[in-house]
Amino acid sequence: MLFYFYSYVIILLEVLGYTTLFVPFLPAFLSHKGYGQTPPALTGPEVVCAQSGQLVRFFGGGEPQIDRYFWTVVNASGDTLANRSGGEDLQELRFAFPTTGTFTVGLRVRRGPFELPVFTGSQQVRAVQVPIPILRPDFTLCANETLSLQAVDPTTEGLDAFTFEWRDEEGNLISNANTLNVQTQGRYTVRYFLAQNDEASCENQLETFVGNFGEIRFTLPGEEVCEDQVLLIESDSPFAGNWFFLDASGTRQPLPRGVNLTLNPRNQLPGPGSYTFIQEVQNPDNPSCLVSGQFTLEILPAPQLLAEVLQGASCEVASGQLRLSATATPLQVRSTSNPELPTFTLQPGSPQLLSDLTPGVYTFSVENAFCVSAFVLTIPNEAPSPLSWSSEPPVCTEEGVENGGFRLLLNDDIPGTYILTSRASGEEAAAGRLEGSGDTALERLPPGAYQLNFIADSPSGGCAFPEESVLEVDVPNQVQFSAPTTLRSCGPALLAPAAEEALQYSIRFPDGSVQAFREDIRLTQEGQYVLTARPETADDSRCPRSQTIQVFLFEPVPVQPVLIEEDCSGNLFFEAQLDGSLAPETLSFRWYDADGAIIGREQILLITRPGSYSVEALRNGVTACPDGRVPLEVAPILSRAAGELVVRAFCENELEGSISLLLEEGAEGVDEIRWQFFDADGGVQELTAFANQSEIAIREAGTYEAVWFRQILGGQRCEIGRDVALVMPLDQPLTPDLEAMYPFCERNGRRPLIRPGNFDTYRWELDGELLATSATFRPARAGLYTLTVGNAFGCVRQEQFLVFDDCDPFVAFPNALRYDQADSELLFWMRADVLRIEVEVFSSSGALVFSCEATNEGDLAPVCRWSGKINGERLPTGVYPMRVRYFTRNPGLDGRYDRSLVILQ
């Protein structure tokens, strides 16, 4: 009795609306020892991803050892997609949502051996679309451009539910939006997911590399240079570009335009420090996008030495004096011209005096903590020098210029040696002898400053007569242009000198031939060329200028794009495979899309979309080949294939039904189909006998699920779709309510309205022609009709009925026969009150060609039929007289029809 009392109370509370009920007073005989104190509760995510194949987890709580769980999943249309029940194995429901939309997950829990209801609850679940990734693996960044990166398609439904995390290559979080704007080269990653209850679901991570349109490499003299050096920085770009350096505020400051950069830090930079240098080149293949490159140089302070000549000397008395002072930092000083002089350290504020010096030119190596510089000093001779000099201007030649220099004249019969020392390097630039009065010498030297010293011969070892003034060789007045000194090209090399004005160019080929050109030229021979530029007009006094160019030509690198890996998300990994003749580290790789945009720079590329692509491998420092790209066609990737299960349930008088899987058009890539059956108790059965079948026979009601897969590289199988179908037993047979015959008279507009009953589908046909699909039908002409009715489970039934001409109510028959219609026959029907008919058909000459006598058997069938043939031969087309006699149950109604029969081919 106690059990019935508790059962009554619980059921009553449930009826009254207490649907979530924890029973703390459950008696011991209705529970297991130690159980009954944990209430059930429905917990699960409120937002999930649809069509992802991911099983979403819902938890029922409670005591799984004594509880029984009843789960349902219902879509917004009220269709039940899952109906499962069980004990401990169904404390948790795992369900993959097949479409987007709002779903209701319901849970009922019954407890104990008598299954008393203790919980009823539900929750709304929003299933959103899996975001479609659109982030390419590589982007090209033009100079001075802001690039917008988008992780997923911004039109994705339900995108607001996702969290985004963009990070740079150092791992710093830089954005939480779908779109990221970047201005710097680097690798970026984005992670997006659904965040609920401190857990992430439907998670994915993408990565991309943002690189400059082209990468310019530089040949540098070192990472640290002294400020008094003149530097040549060579660029591997074959084209001239704009050069800049960034000052302390980060502002660009211009430097001379050209292919390479000749940099004099002392004259062109504010002072020592760390500087970033930038070159920007306009690529002729894509003028709208600048190619840029940059590097950093540390400009070190040069030694600061103050030198004072206190006193000269003579050939007889070594009385010369020098005072040397360090103005900024300690200096190490060593004479390179006079090793006998002491080496010493100069401290700021403590000068060093050098005394008893003979006349001459003295060179010193001066070193601070960073740099070594040369200093050239002069101790004058108190006696006049026997050597005089004059400047010699540069002289134009056919291909350039002879440098300027100095003409030396010996004015006394004192033979001796002259030496010209470069003030920049402290090294000897030129030397020679003059033997007597009137002897001359011409020395042409590179532009720069020089110190002249004449050492007269004497028995005691010679006496020096240094020139106190500095001799300057001016820069020649030549045309100016910029061109690379080396060209490395795959195929013919393009040479395009850059100048601020129009010039005349000519080039001497390695074979000695010469060709003139205006702006650019393709070089097809490997070897050394000489490029010469001349003024545009003859009255221009500037000299030509020539430059030697070394050209290296290469063949395209053999490369083949090969698919090496793919995954179930539709990600394809292609590798640019080589033939083994070149090491990958000596090459750079470029992947292109159909528009020619660079989408990858590594040997391996991730592709997520079908289309036309290409790849090329470039030797480092070598320009691209005109025909070096190898095409790659990527077919559409079948990552999802929509399908629908169509059920034909157990129709009347049948022992089995069927389920058909209808896949969308273009889903030929389905390699495997698996079937599962869920019974009413929540049990799951793998239907292995139906593997890979698109239609299966079924014998039980319940829930059926089909999952279809595609096979990818390596044999792995990926789920690309699934659908479920609920099969219910048929409750009512398909029996349309039809009469065997319906009277019809076209002359008076009498057309019967036929109502066969309530069904899901209708097909009204006459002679194979579909006339209507409505629930009711009014025939428009006489004939034998077919009605096909069906229900929602795929069951169908066909019935026939006759519509006869009731204007002549006793016998129905056609008035024409067509040979061109298959199975065409002349058919006769009689009404129920007609007992017998006689049919006669005559030729035009009156001969009998067909006759028939028939009695009424009471079923709906033609009583006479004729194919229009005699002895197997067709009659000629034409009009044939026809007589039909009928005999009724009432002899007073007997009669006959005289008609014409038309036979047509």
Side-chain angles (χ1 to χ4, degrees):
M1 293 298 295
L2 186 60
F3 161 71
Y4 292 108
F5 168 74
Y6 277 105
S7 300
Y8 173 78
V9 171
I10 293 173
I11 295 172
L12 178 61
L13 290 173
E14 187 174 22
V15 170
L16 292 176
Y18 295 91
T19 57
T20 301
L21 178 62
F22 171 52
V23 190
F25 52 85
L26 192 67
F29 73 88
L30 290 180
S31 67
H32 292 210
K33 183 178 180 180
Y35 300 141
Q37 297 304 311
T38 303
L42 172 57
T43 58
E46 297 178 355
V47 183
V48 299
C49 275
Q51 299 175 319
S52 66
Q54 181 182 15
L55 293 173
V56 182
R57 174 179 173 269
F58 296 90
F59 189 67
E63 299 285 355
Q65 295 86 348
I66 61 172
D67 287 345
R68 187 167 180 82
Y69 301 86
F70 298 83
W71 294 94
T72 57
V73 180
V74 180
N75 64 16
S77 300
D79 301 321
T80 300
L81 305 183
N83 188 353
R84 304 172 190 174
S85 61
E88 189 171 354
D89 58 327
L90 273 177
Q91 183 187 26
E92 179 178 283
L93 172 69
R94 293 180 179 270
F95 183 77
F97 289 83
T99 61
T100 60
T102 301
F103 298 80
T104 301
V105 177
L107 172 63
R108 292 183 300 111
V109 181
R110 292 181 175 272
R111 175 163 292 176
F114 303 105
E115 295 193 0
L116 302 179
V118 294
F119 177 84
T120 300
S122 65
Q123 77 167 71
Q124 297 291 312
V125 178
R126 177 189 177 198
V128 299
Q129 180 182 344
V130 177
I132 301 173
I134 61 172
L135 184 68
R136 301 203 311 261
D138 193 286
F139 286 86
T140 297
L141 182 66
C142 299
N144 303 324
E145 178 189 48
T146 298
L147 195 63
S148 292
L149 309 179
Q150 282 191 327
V152 300
D153 187 345
T155 64
T156 300
E157 179 185 354
L159 192 62
D160 58 313
F162 285 83
T163 299
F164 292 84
E165 292 180 351
W166 285 91
R167 297 184 185 274
D168 60 20
E169 53 192 5
E170 283 79 32
N172 300 314
L173 181 64
I174 54 178
S175 177
N176 290 111
N178 183 32
T179 301
L180 173 69
N181 295 324
V182 298
Q183 293 179 309
T184 57
Q185 177 175 291
R187 194 169 298 279
Y188 299 87
T189 58
V190 59
R191 171 176 172 254
Y192 56 92
F193 53 91
L194 292 173
Q196 297 176 93
N197 301 323
D198 298 327
E199 293 185 1
S201 64
C202 200
E203 180 178 358
N204 194 19
Q205 182 166 304
L206 307 173
E207 182 177 289
T208 188
F209 177 76
V210 176
N212 293 325
F213 178 77
E215 187 175 355
I216 301 176
R217 296 181 176 87
F218 303 94
T219 301
L220 306 176
E223 295 180 356
E224 297 179 339
V225 295
C226 296
E227 65 175 322
D228 59 352
Q229 291 179 258
V230 177
L231 315 174
L232 175 62
I233 298 167
E234 293 185 289
S235 164
D236 69 352
S237 168
F239 309 109
N242 296 321
W243 289 87
F244 308 90
F245 74 89
L246 302 182
D247 61 19
S249 66
T251 304
R252 288 187 172 199
Q253 300 296 337
L255 291 168
R257 175 181 169 83
V259 174
N260 302 321
L261 174 65
T262 300
L263 180 66
N264 187 332
R266 183 163 278 170
N267 295 337
Q268 294 175 293
L269 299 178
S274 180
Y275 293 90
T276 296
F277 296 85
I278 301 169
Q279 185 188 31
E280 291 180 349
V281 177
Q282 189 177 59
N283 190 329
D285 295 334
N286 189 352
S288 64
C289 192
L290 294 177
V291 181
S292 67
Q294 66 180 42
F295 60 90
T296 300
L297 282 181
E298 188 73 25
I299 306 299
L300 303 176
Q304 302 294 318
L305 177 70
L306 175 62
E308 300 171 276
V309 179
L310 302 180
Q311 184 174 327
S314 65
C315 293
E316 294 78 19
V317 180
S319 57
Q321 287 187 342
L322 283 174
R323 183 164 61 199
L324 306 178
S325 304
T327 60
T329 59
L331 303 175
Q332 292 288 329
V333 181
R334 177 178 60 86
S335 175
T336 55
S337 59
N338 300 77
E340 69 277 6
L341 293 178
T343 297
F344 51 88
T345 299
L346 278 179
Q347 298 291 340
S350 300
Q352 177 74 33
L353 183 64
L354 299 179
S355 302
D356 302 326
L357 303 178
T358 60
V361 174
Y362 291 80
T363 60
F364 292 90
S365 173
V366 181
E367 181 178 357
N368 62 9
F370 310 103
C371 297
V372 178
S373 298
F375 285 84
V376 180
L377 305 175
T378 299
I379 298 295
N381 196 319
E382 294 174 349
S385 173
L387 186 67
S388 61
W389 63 276
S390 60
S391 294
E392 194 73 18
V395 177
C396 293
T397 64
E398 182 64 23
E399 291 188 345
V401 67
E402 280 191 299
N403 285 323
F406 311 105
R407 185 172 295 278
L408 307 178
L409 173 63
L410 185 59
N411 298 311
D412 203 338
D413 288 327
I414 303 175
T417 300
Y418 65 87
I419 300 173
L420 284 161
T421 302
S422 169
R423 291 185 63 85
S425 65
E427 298 177 353
E428 182 182 294
R433 283 192 59 79
L434 296 173
E435 300 296 338
S437 179
D439 279 1
T440 62
L442 177 60
E443 295 289 352
R444 293 190 178 275
L445 300 171
Y450 299 89
Q451 204 71 50
L452 175 62
N453 192 19
F454 181 70
I455 305 173
D457 296 343
S458 68
S460 59
C463 183
F465 292 88
E467 177 64 38
E468 291 188 63
S469 59
V470 176
L471 283 65
E472 298 280 353
V473 176
D474 294 333
V475 176
N477 185 20
Q478 291 177 280
V479 295
Q480 299 296 319
F481 68 87
S482 180
T485 57
T486 302
L487 281 175
R488 300 177 181 273
S489 176
C490 184
L494 177 63
L495 175 63
E500 299 294 332
E501 58 185 325
L503 297 174
Q504 293 182 1
Y505 295 102
S506 65
I507 191 163
R508 186 167 71 244
F509 286 73
D511 61 6
S513 60
V514 177
Q515 180 178 339
F517 67 96
R518 296 293 297 178
E519 295 180 354
D520 57 48
I521 187 172
R522 294 280 180 178
L523 307 179
T524 58
Q525 299 178 21
E526 193 172 55
Q528 182 172 291
Y529 292 76
V530 177
L531 172 65
T532 302
R534 297 178 175 85
E536 181 77 2
T537 59
D539 57 354
D540 193 324
S541 61
R542 291 175 299 168
C543 296
R545 184 182 185 90
S546 293
Q547 177 182 316
T548 299
I549 300 174
Q550 191 70 36
V551 174
F552 300 93
L553 301 181
F554 300 89
E555 293 296 322
V557 177
V559 64
Q560 190 65 36
V562 177
L563 178 65
I564 60 170
E565 183 183 345
E566 62 176 318
D567 61 26
C568 292
S569 299
N571 297 317
L572 305 177
F573 295 85
F574 287 87
E575 180 180 36
Q577 293 189 352
L578 307 171
D579 63 359
S581 61
L582 296 170
E585 56 268 20
T586 66
L587 305 172
S588 58
F589 298 90
R590 295 289 185 272
W591 297 83
Y592 303 89
D593 63 13
D595 298 326
I598 297 175
I599 60 171
R601 301 166 192 268
E602 305 292 338
Q603 190 173 3
I604 295 177
L605 175 71
L606 167 63
I607 294 179
T608 59
R609 294 182 176 182
S612 298
Y613 301 86
S614 59
V615 61
E616 68 176 334
L618 307 174
R619 293 172 176 86
N620 291 335
V622 178
T623 58
C625 302
D627 55 354
R629 298 184 185 180
V630 178
L632 169 64
E633 290 294 328
V634 177
I637 304 164
L638 189 63
S639 58
R640 302 297 302 172
E644 179 184 7
L645 293 183
V646 178
V647 178
R648 190 182 73 82
F650 311 105
C651 301
E652 55 183 318
N653 302 320
E654 292 183 349
L655 297 177
E656 65 180 31
S658 66
I659 302 179
S660 300
L661 171 58
L662 301 182
L663 294 172
E664 66 178 343
E665 184 178 355
E668 292 81 4
V670 174
D671 298 308
E672 181 181 349
I673 302 173
R674 297 177 186 172
W675 294 88
Q676 294 185 95
F677 172 66
F678 301 88
D679 60 28
D681 296 327
V684 181
Q685 179 184 355
E686 294 287 340
L687 304 180
T688 55
F690 297 131
N692 299 323
Q693 296 183 22
S694 58
E695 182 175 349
I696 66 171
I698 57 175
R699 294 178 178 271
E700 296 181 66
T703 301
Y704 290 81
E705 181 179 50
V707 186
W708 47 101
F709 304 82
R710 71 180 180 98
Q711 182 173 323
I712 63 175
L713 191 69
Q716 180 183 355
R717 296 188 180 276
C718 303
E719 178 184 326
I720 56 176
R722 65 171 61 207
D723 193 20
V724 295
L726 180 62
V727 178
M728 301 292 289
L730 187 64
D731 294 331
Q732 296 179 347
L734 289 171
T735 307
D737 183 12
L738 289 176
E739 299 291 339
M741 295 187 296
Y742 291 91
F744 164 83
C745 185
E746 186 177 4
R747 290 198 300 270
N748 59 23
R750 183 154 50 88
R751 297 167 55 193
L753 177 63
I754 303 174
R755 303 176 185 270
N758 294 324
F759 303 96
D760 290 298
T761 61
Y762 303 83
R763 289 179 62 87
W764 303 86
E765 296 175 272
L766 176 63
D767 297 331
E769 178 187 358
L770 177 64
L771 302 177
T773 58
S774 56
T776 61
F777 179 68
R778 287 185 184 274
R781 60 185 184 271
L784 182 63
Y785 287 78
T786 300
L787 169 64
T788 304
V789 295
N791 62 17
F793 300 105
C795 299
V796 296
R797 180 165 178 171
Q798 284 189 347
E799 295 285 350
Q800 288 186 319
F801 60 93
L802 178 67
V803 175
F804 63 93
D805 190 347
D806 198 31
C807 297
D808 294 317
F810 295 101
V811 182
F813 53 88
N815 60 4
L817 178 66
R818 297 182 63 99
Y819 288 140
D820 60 352
Q821 291 183 347
D823 301 326
S824 177
E825 288 184 299
L826 183 64
L827 303 177
F828 296 82
W829 288 266
M830 65 181 73
R831 214 166 64 176
D833 56 349
V834 175
L835 298 175
R836 181 172 59 87
I837 65 170
E838 296 175 356
V839 179
E840 294 176 317
V841 180
F842 303 92
S843 68
S844 59
S845 62
L848 181 66
V849 296
F850 173 73
S851 66
C852 173
E853 291 187 17
T855 59
N856 196 337
E857 301 295 336
D859 55 347
L860 180 61
V863 293
C864 284
R865 57 175 71 222
W866 180 46
S867 64
K869 299 178 182 179
I870 298 178
N871 298 325
E873 299 292 332
R874 292 180 176 179
L875 291 176
T877 59
V879 179
Y880 294 80
M882 180 171 57
R883 178 182 300 147
V884 180
R885 293 187 179 92
Y886 57 90
F887 305 90
T888 69
R889 301 181 188 279
N890 185 348
L893 296 178
D894 296 350
R896 79 177 191 184
Y897 302 128
D898 292 314
R899 298 285 189 269
S900 294
L901 173 67
V902 179
I903 296 181
L904 303 173
Q905 290 293 338

